[in-house]
Amino acid sequence: MSLLVIGSIAFDKIETPYASRDEAIGGAAVYFSYAAAHFAPIRLIGVIGEDFPGEQIQKLQDLGVDTSGVETAAGETFRWAGRYEADWNTRHTLETRLGVFEHWDPKVPADLRDARYVFLANAAPAVQAKALDQCTNADFVMVDTMNLWIDIAKEDLLALLKRVDGIVLNDEEARMLTGETNLIQAARGVLKLGPKYVVLKKGEHGAFLIGEGVHFSMPAYPVEKVVDPTGAGDCFAGGFMGYVAQAQNTDPTTLKRAMLYGTVTASFCVEGFSVEELERRDRGMVEARFNELLSITSL
Ligand code: AMP
């Protein structure tokens, strides 16, 4: 059930219509780890600068995350700044300062290389590919990406898509990648690029999964007070992959249940800034919301 994640570890600066935060702990691989650790032991591969607080690494370890693959490099930790419009779905990236992330050459320690489940969280596709090269025992690999990489590293991304089992991406990214406006057609277009499964996220409108023998759609959990949507996609992926790793199965029923768990962990994420709400939740709360989600989406 070993699950390895590689991706950004960051300080985020977030502005919403109601509040703002600076130097908040974030990064795709961090959000993913918080969500996935409810289900399976996590191996985290990433890079931080000397400015990253040791206590945050300790918190991850306390969740059962193996951080021996987190490298400390000379320089600043990756920083990202974003601003949300009142509709929450429109996000403007204000700043991306790559810092130590820019020249990172990911190294997966020898004793972590046998992970069967691998998630390539947001990072340059060439970096994701280098990490994947080292995961010699992977039999279910999913990848995430973002508009920046589709813009500046599309060839690398297309090469990577031929090597993975699945991709999670949002509506805007799916349209950018395929040129299709209709999201079902866009998802089918992404399937033609290589992956067997596409999880397409539509923000507050939920997500759908399409691929080999499966087509499944989920609304988002009806959160009454959104505080900060940053990391929701990574937490969706964390709940999804965490459950798959726990179940040690990728049959259609498992993948559909994974969609529900992803919906649950994403909903916790948006209820607070950074990882604040995720820190407060335990597995019992995950199950309670899973059951609530089941009851409000079935007869
Ligand atoms: P999400 O809201 O799921 O798209 O994830 C937001 C997280 O992704 C933030 O914590 C950022 O630090 C991180 N992030 C933003 N841009 C990038 C990038 N270009 N590469 C890697 N991670 C990023």
Side-chain angles (χ1 to χ4, degrees), residues 1-139:
M1 65 197 283
S2 51
L3 171 55
L4 183 142
V5 56
I6 167 252
S8 59
I9 300 176
F11 286 118
D12 292 338
K13 183 173 180 186
I14 299 149
E15 290 173 30
T16 80
Y18 310 102
S20 59
R21 280 293 163 88
D22 202 357
E23 302 278 289
I25 297 299
V30 171
Y31 278 112
F32 179 94
S33 297
Y34 268 89
H38 287 295
F39 304 90
I42 309 303
R43 302 166 175 192
L44 169 61
I45 311 295
V47 64
I48 54 177
E50 289 144 336
D51 53 353
F52 199 80
E55 85 220 33
Q56 294 300 335
I57 297 292
Q58 184 61 48
K59 281 188 185 173
L60 286 160
Q61 289 170 355
D62 293 345
L63 294 173
V65 177
D66 182 334
T67 60
S68 60
V70 176
E71 191 186 321
T72 306
E76 277 198 339
T77 299
F78 175 68
R79 277 174 170 74
W80 174 82
R83 178 167 56 81
Y84 292 89
E85 303 272 343
D87 69 0
W88 294 119
N89 280 332
T90 314
R91 175 166 87 183
H92 306 281
T93 289
L94 304 178
E95 193 181 11
T96 300
R97 262 158 60 198
L98 292 174
V100 293
F101 203 46
E102 185 166 9
H103 299 294
W104 181 43
D105 184 11
K107 286 167 212 76
V108 181
D111 57 331
L112 305 188
R113 291 185 179 180
D114 63 347
R116 281 184 59 202
Y117 300 92
V118 173
F119 188 70
L120 306 171
N122 202 351
V127 169
Q128 293 173 313
K130 274 191 184 171
L132 182 56
D133 290 342
Q134 299 168 55
C135 296
T136 45
N137 202 32
D139 56 25

